[in-house]
Amino acid sequence: MEVKQSKVVTTLKYLLLIAAAFIVFFPIYSVIIGAFKTQVEYYQSGMALPKNFGNFANFTKVLKIGKLIPSFGNTLVILLISLAGNILFGTMVAYALGRFKFKLRGPIMGLYLGAQLIPTITTQVSTFSIIKFFGLYNTMGAPILLYLGADVLQIVIYLQFINSIPKDLDESAMMEGASLFKIYRSIIFPLLAPATATLVILKTISIYNDFYTPYLYMPSQKLRVVSTAIYSFVGPNAAQVNVISAGILLIFIPTVLIFLFLQKFIFSGVTSGAVKM
């Protein structure tokens, strides 16, 4: 009886795994095959494989009409500046909280944690007013400013690594006349490289996939990023599902490549930091 029950349980597990894999991969499959079909073939063949995987007409059309190439350029500019600010502020905040003991250390960390509990939508009116006040509305400065701040996730990850760095290094450097800033620049920052790589990947994916912020603060067509560009393209071309699939695939490829080639940094950075903590 136990053997039969074990077989039944195992069979159910595999069936559930197959069902879960189907649910996850079927939309991706439909996008990939649709991107290489003509409009007539798409509606006639259903979910069958395309006759010609060498048909790149849909990709050419979406790049030309959807203006994805300038959108990729805008996204890259926002990404580079935002990531530089995240790394700079994140490492500095974590350095101050992890290396120095002062009365406001606990409250500051509590404020970072508390800010995560406030729904973003409830602060949009005040945030929008601030962006307008500084004259950043409808400029790249708006999303860059909103992405620059260090959030609690990166601070926690950086703190895990900072707490694993021996304080003897700081004391030795101070005895040789090094300032606090030089200790940060020459000792702390280089040793935070694994955590920085992890944060770069996570932040890149987060900013790249964000639609709400660019859509709200950069309505100009010249300032479109990939998420808003594909959204604007879908409206007048809703009937051309094959072309829309090509656009989705073009936007989807960079995130997949980033994850496949750099996933080891995500896992090794987070787990090693957790172990050292």
Side-chain angles (χ1 to χ4, degrees):
M1 287 294 292
E2 291 182 0
V3 174
K4 289 183 179 180
Q5 289 180 352
S6 178
K7 288 183 178 180
V8 171
V9 171
T10 303
T11 303
L12 287 174
K13 287 181 180 179
Y14 280 110
L15 289 175
L16 288 172
L17 287 172
I18 292 171
F22 177 80
I23 292 171
V24 171
F25 289 106
F26 182 75
I28 300 174
Y29 168 79
S30 64
V31 168
I32 293 174
I33 64 170
F36 295 94
K37 292 182 178 181
T38 63
Q39 188 172 4
V40 175
E41 183 186 0
Y42 182 87
Y43 287 108
Q44 288 183 349
S45 63
M47 291 295 102
L49 292 173
K51 296 178 182 178
N52 180 20
F53 271 103
N55 176 27
F56 295 102
N58 296 332
F59 297 94
T60 304
K61 185 174 182 179
V62 75
L63 285 172
K64 184 177 180 181
I65 300 176
K67 299 179 180 179
L68 280 185
I69 294 179
S71 300
F72 276 111
N74 293 336
T75 304
L76 183 62
V77 171
I78 293 172
L79 265 175
L80 292 177
I81 300 175
S82 300
L83 289 175
N86 269 268
I87 294 170
L88 181 64
F89 292 128
T91 52
M92 284 186 170
V93 171
Y95 175 55
L97 294 176
R99 274 297 195 257
F100 306 110
K101 294 182 180 180
F102 51 96
K103 292 182 178 180
L104 294 179
R105 182 176 180 272
I108 290 174
M109 193 63 193
L111 288 173
Y112 273 104
L113 293 170
Q116 302 302 307
L117 302 177
I118 302 174
T120 307
I121 193 66
T122 61
T123 61
Q124 283 307 310
V125 175
S126 58
T127 303
F128 189 85
S129 300
I130 293 171
I131 294 297
K132 288 278 288 184
F133 175 78
F134 284 109
L136 296 175
Y137 178 71
N138 210 14
T139 69
M140 286 190 185
I144 289 172
L145 181 64
L146 295 175
Y147 294 142
L148 275 180
D151 58 32
V152 69
L153 172 64
Q154 65 190 89
I155 291 174
V156 168
I157 293 178
Y158 276 131
L159 280 175
Q160 290 176 343
F161 278 82
I162 286 178
N163 291 335
S164 68
I165 300 173
K167 293 184 179 180
D168 295 342
L169 295 176
D170 300 34
E171 295 172 357
S172 299
M174 291 182 71
M175 290 178 64
E176 294 179 4
S179 64
L180 294 176
F181 179 75
K182 188 172 183 180
I183 293 172
Y184 159 78
R185 185 190 63 188
S186 304
I187 298 176
I188 302 297
F189 187 80
L191 293 176
L192 292 177
T196 298
T198 302
L199 264 299
V200 165
I201 298 163
L202 296 177
K203 283 289 184 179
T204 297
I205 295 174
S206 175
I207 295 172
Y208 183 85
N209 291 331
D210 185 26
F211 168 79
Y212 181 77
T213 300
Y215 181 75
L216 179 62
Y217 294 101
M218 296 193 308
S220 174
Q221 293 186 1
K222 295 181 180 180
L223 298 176
R224 286 176 180 171
V225 294
V226 289
S227 57
T228 54
I230 194 64
Y231 174 80
S232 300
F233 177 80
V234 168
N237 299 279
Q240 303 183 58
V241 184
N242 56 317
V243 181
I244 294 173
S245 297
I248 294 172
L249 189 58
L250 283 173
I251 294 174
F252 184 61
I253 288 174
T255 55
V256 173
L257 292 177
I258 289 171
F259 182 79
L260 289 178
F261 287 105
L262 302 177
Q263 61 175 322
K264 60 181 180 180
F265 291 106
I266 298 177
F267 299 116
S268 64
V270 175
T271 55
S272 62
V275 171
K276 291 174 183 177
M277 185 70 172

